[in-house]
Amino acid sequence: MGYIEPAPIKDKENPFESMMSRFNIAADALGLDEEVYNVLKSPAKQVTVSLPITMDDGSIKVFEGHRVVHSNILGPSKGGIRYDMDVTIDEVKALAAWMTWKCAVVDIPYGGAKGGIKCDPRSMSAGEIERLTRAFTAQMAEIFGPDRDIPAPDMGTGPREMAWLMDEYSKIQGMTVNAVVTGKPLVLGGSLGRTEATGRGVMVSALSAMGKIGLIPSQATCAIQGFGNVGSWAAKLLTERGVKVIAVSDLSGAYVNKNGLDIDECIEYRNMNNGTLEGYKNADHIPGDDILYLDVDVLVPAAKEDVITVQNVEKVKAKLIVEGANGPTSAKADAIINEKGIMVAPDILANAGGVTVSYFEWVQNRLGYKWTAERVNRRSDRIMKDAFDRVYKTSKEYNVPLRIAAYILAIDKVAKTYKYRGGF
Ligand code: NAD
């Protein structure tokens, strides 16, 4: 595939266009007919609400919230809710579609959705965030539902917000409905194993991919960008399987130790240090972005979107990229990555461990039963491993990179289901 220099070079791609460019390549490879293409590219439902909230000082501030259901062809839609000043309907649309493909890749019976409220939760009190969450839930009561649309945490939200959402929804229904949302606190029906699930799925994907390109875990080195939930769990679990994690990074920069970092010590340091590695001593400190260019076998971007772009991809030396974050590689960088022969375990596959265990949470809520952590981990490992194998097989069949193979697999599944169900 030839590389075409885009003009003008943009640092940040429109996330919807970025998703659509991969979708289009996969739809072409699959020979998707135009009618189904049109069905799958258009979100099923987009709802925007305005949320007037009484602030602590007595003033009323109006927030804007969105929920986009991209697809409910495979089942109820699933996707997080983010609280962030950068929330736009375009971003929510892209993330909702991503969820459709992600659920289809790992073969769980969900469609895709996403929600967001444009706000800065760091500048709001707990009471203000609670009122905002309850107002959003009330406005979306017709959309949400354990058999309709199941939200989850995303950027700026967590178990606390999910508990408020569950409570408000339950009040409206006149009964406790804990399966309406996942990512709840354990006492409210959250699942064991959810906290580490995404990092664990990254580990399973990384080991599966390493097996395909002849990298032996005990001889392989790894660098991980982002040391939050996903990055730190991936680092810990990869280390436990013999991979030498020589660098990790967060907003304070990157920390390198050629002999391998003591990940448990890094996690403990971060936990005692306000969530950051700043000042960590048993490693060399280098500028944060330089972690992407280290001479390692495996690179795990697990921080944010658009970190590997046409502007820096030439400098990446890793043989394998395992995308812990959503959208860390810009669509325009794909061609160069492929030319360089780097294998990429794409986000919709590699970070699907989280949604898989969210699905288990929903299953347990509906069963009224709790699984052990061991059962959760065993089942999610199997789902992730099987998904990797299916994507790999599809990539060989169509002679395409894993990312396009993952889209092919997902689009094919949703398209076939649509054809069976039929439209109007
Ligand atoms: P988090 O907030 O727990 O951690 C993010 C980490 O990235 C922090 O250590 C932060 O300091 C670091 N970071 C932010 N910007 C950075 C930068 N420019 N350079 C280096 N480090 C930077 O978030 P998380 O839950 O670990 O999520 C990380 C990514 O994984 C996001 O893209 C998220 O959408 C994606 N993801 C998360 C889950 C999940 O279950 N948590 C599931 C699927 C995908």
Side-chain angles (χ1 to χ4, degrees):
M1 203 185 291
Y3 161 57
I4 304 162
E5 182 74 339
I9 295 174
K10 279 197 299 180
D11 234 339
K12 204 168 160 62
E13 291 181 357
N14 174 319
F16 192 66
E17 282 166 12
S18 184
M19 187 277 298
M20 279 309 294
S21 69
R22 274 94 175 231
F23 174 86
N24 287 340
I25 297 171
D28 267 357
L30 203 53
L32 194 69
D33 65 56
E34 202 185 329
E35 288 165 358
V36 179
Y37 173 87
N38 286 334
V39 173
L40 301 190
K41 80 166 205 242
S42 326
K45 201 176 284 184
Q46 303 178 49
V47 183
T48 296
V49 291
S50 85
L51 305 161
I53 303 300
T54 306
M55 307 303 279
D56 290 348
D57 64 5
S59 64
I60 293 175
K61 197 167 163 189
V62 181
F63 295 86
E64 189 174 72
H66 312 280
R67 185 74 179 168
V68 175
V69 173
H70 171 259
S71 168
N72 42 24
I73 293 171
L74 294 184
S77 49
K78 183 93 191 78
I81 297 174
R82 60 174 53 177
Y83 289 180
D84 190 72
M85 284 310 285
D86 289 337
V87 165
T88 62
I89 190 78
D90 247 4
E91 182 188 63
V92 178
K93 269 163 69 178
L95 294 169
W98 253 324
M99 286 304 296
T100 302
W101 313 132
K102 200 182 284 191
C103 293
V105 167
V106 285
D107 202 18
I108 57 180
Y110 284 148
K114 205 80 180 188
I117 302 178
K118 188 175 166 148
C119 66
D120 176 12
R122 276 156 304 200
S123 69
M124 295 167 71
S125 71
E128 288 167 344
I129 297 173
E130 178 174 356
R131 291 193 289 283
L132 184 65
T133 305
R134 289 187 185 276
F136 186 63
T137 307
Q139 289 275 50
M140 294 291 174
E142 304 273 296
I143 307 286
F144 296 160
D147 291 306
R148 280 197 300 262
D149 178 37
I150 307 139
D154 197 85
M155 201 187 287
T157 59
R160 182 182 70 163
E161 286 73 19
M162 300 307 112
W164 289 328
L165 194 157
M166 181 213 120
D167 183 67
E168 191 62 30
Y169 184 83
S170 296
K171 276 184 193 147
I172 294 166
Q173 303 301 321
M175 59 184 168
T176 296
V177 190
N178 58 5
V180 68
V181 65
T182 62
K184 298 179 291 292
L186 270 180
V187 286
L188 287 187
S191 179
L192 291 167
R194 175 61 186 92
T195 311
E196 60 269 42
T198 305
R200 195 174 173 91
V202 168
M203 175 272 291
V204 173
S205 302
L207 293 187
S208 303
M210 287 164 73
K212 299 295 182 197
I213 54 174
L215 283 175
I216 298 161
S218 60
Q219 293 167 16
T221 54
C222 176
I224 301 183
Q225 183 192 43
F227 204 63
N229 173 284
V230 180
S232 63
W233 274 105
K236 181 176 167 63
L237 295 168
L238 280 167
T239 303
E240 283 172 10
R241 274 137 191 97
V243 176
K244 197 194 277 182
V245 177
I246 65 153
V248 296
S249 73
D250 66 12
L251 273 171
S252 69
Y255 301 83
V256 187
N257 184 334
K258 289 262 149 46
N259 300 319
L261 290 160
D262 181 338
I263 297 299
D264 284 335
E265 186 188 86
C266 292
I267 292 175
E268 204 182 315
Y269 182 89
R270 177 204 63 186
N271 292 348
M272 306 293 288
N273 193 39
N274 224 0
T276 164
L277 288 166
E278 186 152 21
Y280 180 67
K281 290 280 179 281
N282 292 334
D284 298 323
H285 186 229
I286 60 167
D289 285 352
D290 289 358
I291 195 163
L292 302 169
Y293 320 131
L294 292 174
D295 193 5
V296 286
D297 297 308
V298 185
L299 174 64
V300 179
K304 58 193 280 265
E305 69 291 342
D306 272 338
V307 293
I308 300 172
T309 66
V310 283
Q311 282 145 305
N312 67 3
V313 59
E314 288 293 359
K315 295 194 264 178
V316 173
K317 297 194 189 75
K319 301 179 183 74
L320 169 67
I321 297 174
V322 184
E323 296 185 335
N326 283 321
T329 311
S330 76
K332 289 179 184 129
D334 282 354
I336 310 175
I337 286 184
N338 298 338
E339 269 172 16
K340 285 173 66 118
I342 301 172
M343 178 183 261
V344 179
D347 47 10
I348 58 170
L349 168 67
N351 71 31
V355 73
T356 301
V357 175
S358 289
Y359 163 58
F360 292 165
E361 177 176 337
W362 178 81
V363 169
Q364 292 170 76
N365 293 160
R366 291 166 73 98
L367 287 172
Y369 188 71
K370 254 189 176 316
W371 294 350
T372 60
E374 193 268 331
R375 173 173 287 200
V376 169
N377 290 340
R378 184 163 32 85
R379 291 185 173 186
S380 68
D381 286 358
R382 190 182 63 215
I383 285 187
M384 292 302 295
K385 173 85 177 61
D386 287 353
F388 184 91
D389 289 345
R390 279 195 302 276
V391 171
Y392 187 79
K393 188 161 167 263
T394 307
S395 85
K396 292 287 158 215
E397 211 175 298
Y398 285 82
N399 194 22
V400 291
L402 293 179
R403 186 189 311 282
I404 299 304
Y407 274 85
I408 289 177
L409 202 69
I411 293 169
D412 190 40
K413 178 161 192 219
V414 181
K416 281 193 176 126
T417 311
Y418 175 76
K419 283 188 173 163
Y420 274 117
R421 293 185 64 158
F424 293 100

